[in-house]
Amino acid sequence: MEKEFRELLSMIGNKLPVKEPEKSRILLEIASDMSDTYELLLSQNKTPADARGEVCRRFAFSESELAELSSVYLTSWQRVFSAINHIISSPVEKVIFLAVMFLVAIISGRYFFSTGFFRLGNIFSYLSLICLLGSVSIFFKKLYDLFVRRDFEIKRLRQGLSFLEFSGIIIFICALQILLEKTVSVSAKLVMLLQDILSPVTDAGTATFYGEILKWGIDLSLLEINMIIMLMLIIFMRFLLENLISRIEQAAAELIMQVKK
């Protein structure tokens, strides 16, 4: 990278109103934009000196502009996981958190297949399962890219992570939809049973009424617990990938600052 760009990036880094690892991520985005702009200007028959000067002028941000850029470069989900990273800041805390999440995942996986999920499931639970399987495949692909292929290309580091975030939202919506559907499906039956109970009272009618409520509660609980398990698994995978990628981004940002022309 050009010396002028490194100096400008260093100044931008000092003024950015965010902490690590967000700062490294934003600096890498700005560095990539600088390089793209520089190459574009050269393709327009600008001299290298003129192109460098133009890039430096375009990216000489004020503090207020950097504050706006910070909100643009960081998505809502990145802010959420960054906040979690700040809360769980020390390596020991992160190891404990990941260990607990992994233990929950193992126990949950056994529980998942031992319950009546597939017997009680509907289109929303199956859609959630598809999202989970897709997220698991992306998770292992990212681990393969990082640890086997050693692919640390900055522009590809976060590819696929948005699917995990999207899957989490879909599973949450499906959980609410299952709650609504199960409630509606049992409502008409409960109203009819309640009418029987309000007429000459019979023990059988009362027992049937409470039996239906109990059955509805058990079936709904089994489905909702499994949906929560899916959501926790996705949060675990997303958190782990966020930590791995953030370390790579910080190392890449430091390398850019150190590389000489």
Side-chain angles (χ1 to χ4, degrees):
M1 173 171 282
E2 303 292 327
K3 179 181 178 181
E4 292 88 341
F5 299 168
R6 289 191 293 110
E7 294 174 350
L8 181 56
L9 279 173
S10 179
M11 294 173 59
I12 291 174
N14 292 332
K15 293 192 294 183
L16 272 174
V18 293
K19 300 178 181 179
E20 294 290 359
E22 297 88 352
K23 180 180 290 187
S24 293
R25 189 178 309 147
I26 295 173
L27 287 175
L28 287 174
E29 293 281 355
I30 295 175
S32 177
D33 291 342
M34 281 183 174
S35 297
D36 292 343
T37 304
Y38 181 67
E39 295 298 329
L40 176 63
L41 292 172
L42 290 179
S43 67
Q44 295 174 349
N45 298 322
K46 294 273 189 180
T47 65
D50 290 341
R52 285 194 296 269
E54 180 66 21
V55 170
C56 289
R57 282 192 294 273
R58 291 187 185 185
F59 289 86
F61 302 121
S62 64
E63 292 187 2
S64 60
E65 289 172 331
L66 286 175
E68 294 178 4
L69 278 175
S70 300
S71 62
V72 171
Y73 277 115
L74 295 177
T75 66
S76 300
W77 280 103
Q78 288 173 345
R79 292 193 190 95
V80 170
F81 283 99
S82 294
I84 295 175
N85 270 323
H86 289 314
I87 295 172
I88 310 173
S89 56
S90 73
V92 175
E93 290 173 337
K94 290 182 180 180
V95 169
I96 293 174
F97 177 79
L98 290 174
V100 170
M101 291 294 289
F102 181 73
L103 182 62
V104 169
I106 295 297
I107 297 174
S108 299
R110 182 180 177 183
Y111 173 83
F112 181 84
F113 289 103
S114 65
T115 61
F117 176 82
F118 295 101
R119 175 175 57 84
L120 301 171
N122 55 20
I123 185 173
F124 299 107
S125 56
Y126 295 141
L127 175 61
S128 300
L129 183 59
I130 292 173
C131 289
L132 175 63
L133 294 176
S135 299
V136 170
S137 65
I138 289 176
F139 174 73
F140 283 107
K141 181 182 181 303
K142 295 301 292 184
L143 293 182
Y144 174 79
D145 290 340
L146 295 176
F147 292 103
V148 179
R149 293 182 57 221
R150 311 291 291 179
D151 181 9
F152 301 134
E153 176 61 38
I154 298 302
K155 292 184 178 180
R156 291 196 296 268
L157 276 179
R158 293 186 172 272
Q159 287 181 355
L161 296 190
S162 58
F163 181 82
L164 274 71
E165 299 159 2
F166 174 77
S167 295
I169 295 174
I170 291 298
I171 291 174
F172 179 75
I173 293 174
C174 286
L176 294 179
Q177 185 63 37
I178 288 174
L179 174 62
L180 177 62
E181 182 187 25
K182 291 293 183 182
T183 303
V184 170
S185 66
V186 80
S187 296
K189 186 181 295 186
L190 291 180
V191 169
M192 294 177 62
L193 290 172
L194 187 60
Q195 289 175 348
D196 292 337
I197 292 174
L198 293 178
S199 42
V201 180
T202 62
D203 293 338
T206 304
T208 304
F209 177 78
Y210 288 115
E212 286 293 334
I213 292 179
L214 181 61
K215 182 179 181 300
W216 168 80
I218 293 174
D219 292 350
L220 181 62
S221 298
L222 290 175
L223 285 174
E224 293 294 338
I225 288 172
N226 282 302
M227 302 293 278
I228 293 172
I229 289 172
M230 293 186 199
L231 195 56
M232 289 182 65
L233 288 172
I234 289 180
I235 293 174
F236 166 73
M237 293 185 290
R238 182 63 177 82
F239 181 81
L240 181 58
L241 290 177
E242 179 70 26
N243 275 273
L244 291 173
I245 292 173
S246 293
R247 291 183 182 181
I248 296 171
E249 289 173 336
Q250 289 183 55
E254 292 174 1
L255 184 62
I256 287 177
M257 299 300 183
Q258 295 171 1
V259 171
K260 296 183 179 179
K261 183 178 176 181

